[in-house]
Amino acid sequence: LSLSLFVQEQQARIVLGSRAEAQPGLKGLFEQRGKKSPTMSFLFKGYKTFKPNKNIPEGTNQYELKKYAEATLGSGNLQQAVRLPEGEDINEWVAVNVVDFFNQINMLYYTITEFCTPQECPVMSAGPKYEYKWADGMAVKKPIKCSAPEYIDYLMTWVQSQLDDETTFPSKLGVPFPKNFLNIAKTILKRLFRVYAHMYHAHFNRVVNLGEEAHLNTSFKHFIYFVQEFDLVKKEELAPMQELIDRLMKKDADGASGAPAAAAAAAPPAEK
């Protein structure tokens, strides 16, 4: 299913309400399907062990921000939920949300790993116009072409190493963030976006068949609101999903103004 067809035929299925209304939580997704939530390491298609969810230590300010974020997400207003809480440090707020998106994408992608194989996805792509090669600037300095599952394994392993590095993502009270922290966060979020884009372009039929589109759509919308609020991912990087992003934002804007948005949201995109 192409993204254009997805936008035309599946737009009505997109959940735009609060996370609480749209989904029973990502852990509930696995309970519904009789699968164990991947909170412990699990083998990733014969590649390296996929990383477990990253936990924020209790008793820290970041943990309190995490609880605040969870509470505000339940309000049903994602635009408000992503805003920096008054008096809080932007680095800590971004760090908390980066960890959250890593955990969300970790679990969402896990549900379709049996379909995302080197045979089915020999390149990491987001539609025919966008192909991604892996390089982290350290272990892999020259970009290499690899399958989607290999790329995502490299990516998630690299992100986990960043999250576990106390000099990059400090969790202890009084330990400062590095001066280039926001640039590091931008790189992480830019790359995590590619997993969303690949899932939509290559696996959305599977996502729909598994009944998981509400979880994916809500998580993606939350991600977009957050990165746009703080200008963390450049517009050109979002291009593979721009059509869907525009429709999501328009529907929210129409809903806020009281305009009838349902028909417009379900309408096919203009001919190009």
Side-chain angles (χ1 to χ4, degrees), residues 137 249 257:
M249 301 301 105
S257 64

Side-chain angles (χ1 to χ4, degrees), residues 124-145:
M124 177 60 179
S125 64
K129 296 182 180 179
Y130 301 94
E131 179 181 331
Y132 304 110
K133 295 180 180 180
W134 176 255
D136 59 15
M138 297 180 68
V140 183
K141 295 184 178 181
K142 184 178 180 180
I144 59 173
K145 186 174 183 177

